[in-house]
């Protein structure tokens, strides 16, 4: 089947949002997501869900949006000249967690679908998404588990899929002005419309559903580790890198702002607390230095 079923995609995304929120609430065992529904200035809208001040998560957001417009913004169309003059629909679910314990990594996941249409011409559609991990203190077994889960998601679609999307993730989540990765990667894909709609949709579903299998075991393993002011200050400093990427580099942030989306929802990915320190360098042979030397590097984990 190669005719996009927009209603099926939307139904999946709404269900995925519910599933992600339920599981994160269960793990936190204290705070609950608060929902705000919003309307887009042109057509559509979304529902933003934010959890704050939890036992595990200082803040977490799981947002759904479905918007449409007469013309895609430059962030989406500059490399796709065929999209000029087409109406579009864009829908997706995005998730970001900012744990309180510095030994639990920040995580991001996203599944999205675009379709651009013009009377008398075939529609142009594609899926995108993935998930990536941003630790503050590195544990090799956690990163290996993360990438093995990503690999298992991709394997039914071909042995070449995981290496390709792993490298794409490494390239995308790279902070050019710092010359360093944002984290330890995972999966990233975009412009996915081959071989057909059904296969692409199944893959997008598997990526969305695979995130919890990759992330929750890490949360459970690290949530009881004691931490103090040193770890907290390093976490806040490294969160600054996360904020820099999202504000300077991320196409999703730019797309949301250029299409007139809800600013609070778009920027929910930013950490609730963050700090910057001029010319900071970790102590030699410290766990903080280990993050840079052993984890924030180009590496094949599986």
């Amino acid at each position: 089947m190669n005719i996009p079923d927009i209603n099926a995609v939307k139904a999946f995304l709404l269900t995925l949002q519910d599933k992600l929120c339920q599981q994160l609430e269960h793990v936190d065992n204290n705070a609950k997501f608060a929902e705000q529904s919003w309307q887009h200035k042109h057509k559509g809208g979304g529902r933003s869900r934010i959890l704050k001040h939890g036992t595990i998560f200082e803040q977490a957001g799981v947002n759904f949006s479905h918007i449409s417009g007469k013309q895609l913004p430059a962030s989406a169309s500059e490399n796709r000249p065929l999209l000029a003059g087409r109406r579009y629909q864009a829908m997706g679910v995005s998730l970001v967690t900012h744990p309180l314990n510095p030994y639990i990594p920040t995580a991001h996941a996203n599944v999205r679908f675009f379709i651009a249409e013009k009377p008398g011409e075939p529609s142009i559609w594609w899926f995108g998404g993935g998930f990536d991990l941003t630790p503050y203190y590195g544990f090799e077994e956690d990163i290996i588990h993360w990438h093995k889960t990503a690999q298992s998601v991709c394997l039914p679609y071909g042995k070449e899929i995981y290496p390709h999307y792993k490298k794409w993730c490494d390239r995308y989540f790279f902070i050019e002005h710092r010359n360093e990765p944002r984290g330890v990667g995972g999966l990233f894909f975009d412009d996915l419309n081959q071989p057909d709609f059904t296969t692409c949709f199944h893959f997008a579903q598997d990526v969305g559903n695979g995130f919890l299998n990759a992330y929750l075991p890490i949360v459970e393993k690290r949530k009881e580790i004691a931490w103090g002011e040193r770890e907290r200050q390093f976490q806040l400093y490294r969160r600054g890198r996360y904020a820099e990427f999202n504000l300077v580099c991320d196409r999703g942030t730019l797309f949301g702002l250029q299409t007139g989306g809800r600013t609070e929802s778009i920027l929910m990915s930013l950490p609730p607390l963050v700090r910057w320190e001029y010319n900071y360098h970790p102590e030699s042979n410290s766990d903080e230095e280990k993050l840079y030397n052993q984890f924030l590097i180009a590496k094949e984990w599986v």
Side-chain angles (χ1 to χ4, degrees):
M1 173 183 169
N2 209 38
I3 301 175
D5 189 340
I6 298 174
N7 291 330
V9 176
K10 184 173 183 177
F12 162 71
L13 292 172
L14 289 169
T15 300
L16 178 64
Q17 186 191 32
D18 290 339
K19 175 183 175 181
L20 294 170
C21 290
Q22 290 164 4
Q23 290 296 310
L24 292 177
E25 284 183 347
H26 178 75
V27 170
D28 191 87
N29 197 33
N30 180 38
K32 300 292 184 182
F33 281 92
E35 179 178 299
Q36 286 187 306
S37 297
W38 55 274
Q39 298 297 314
H40 191 261
K41 65 178 184 179
H42 296 304
K43 187 176 181 181
R47 56 187 198 187
S48 298
R49 294 178 179 174
I50 305 296
L51 178 153
K52 297 194 293 186
H53 310 305
T55 302
I56 301 297
F57 302 109
E58 188 171 8
Q59 182 172 296
V62 185
N63 291 348
F64 165 82
S65 63
H66 178 196
I67 65 171
S68 61
K70 295 181 179 180
Q71 184 174 340
L72 281 163
S75 59
S77 62
E78 60 184 354
N79 295 322
R80 304 178 178 95
L82 289 177
L83 298 180
R86 289 175 176 261
R87 297 187 60 86
Y88 74 91
Q89 293 186 62
M91 64 181 76
V93 165
S94 59
L95 170 150
V96 176
T97 64
H98 290 294
L100 181 62
N101 189 327
Y103 288 101
I104 303 175
T106 282
H108 162 256
N110 176 272
V111 178
R112 56 190 180 273
F113 175 76
F114 290 84
I115 184 167
E117 299 173 296
K118 191 173 184 179
E121 296 187 17
S123 60
I124 300 174
W125 59 266
W126 67 94
F127 286 93
F131 49 74
D132 65 283
L133 195 69
T134 306
Y136 306 99
Y137 291 89
F139 297 91
E140 186 171 356
E141 62 266 36
D142 293 354
I143 315 309
I144 291 174
H145 160 76
W146 177 264
H147 280 276
K148 280 188 173 179
T149 306
Q151 185 182 54
S152 67
V153 167
C154 296
L155 191 58
Y157 301 90
K159 292 183 179 180
E160 75 284 359
I161 300 300
Y162 164 74
H164 178 58
Y165 289 158
K166 189 267 185 191
K167 290 178 183 178
W168 199 343
C169 188
D170 290 341
R171 291 194 306 269
Y172 183 80
F173 292 104
F174 190 84
I175 309 172
E176 295 283 352
H177 61 275
R178 295 288 191 179
N179 194 34
E180 67 181 41
R182 187 174 80 171
V184 296
L187 299 174
F188 182 88
F189 67 98
D190 205 1
D191 303 316
L192 179 64
N193 60 9
Q194 297 293 328
D196 54 57
F197 172 80
T198 300
T199 304
C200 296
F201 185 26
H202 285 166
F203 179 73
Q205 290 174 287
D206 288 347
V207 170
N209 290 322
F211 167 77
L212 292 173
N213 296 329
Y215 187 53
L216 293 188
I218 298 173
V219 174
E220 292 292 345
K221 187 178 292 186
R222 305 303 167 193
K223 68 181 183 180
E224 300 297 338
I225 299 179
W227 54 277
E229 187 63 18
R230 177 190 178 113
E231 292 89 348
R232 176 61 165 172
Q233 289 302 310
F234 184 64
Q235 177 199 49
L236 295 181
Y237 173 77
R238 288 300 308 170
R239 281 180 175 180
R241 295 291 200 268
Y242 204 89
E244 288 179 23
F245 178 87
N246 284 21
L247 292 174
V248 176
C249 309
D250 186 58
R251 292 205 314 265
T253 301
L254 188 60
F255 176 84
L257 295 174
Q258 287 182 346
T259 55
R262 183 174 182 263
T263 302
E264 287 297 312
S265 299
I266 297 164
L267 298 183
M268 69 86 185
S269 63
L270 296 178
L273 291 174
V274 63
R275 76 179 185 92
W276 280 267
E277 180 177 337
Y278 178 76
N279 202 29
Y280 166 82
H281 296 282
E283 292 182 11
S284 180
N285 299 317
S286 65
D287 288 339
E288 291 80 12
E289 185 184 63
K290 181 180 176 182
L291 177 74
Y292 292 89
N293 294 342
Q294 299 185 27
F295 293 93
L296 298 181
I297 58 175
K299 186 173 181 178
E300 299 302 320
W301 294 99
V302 296

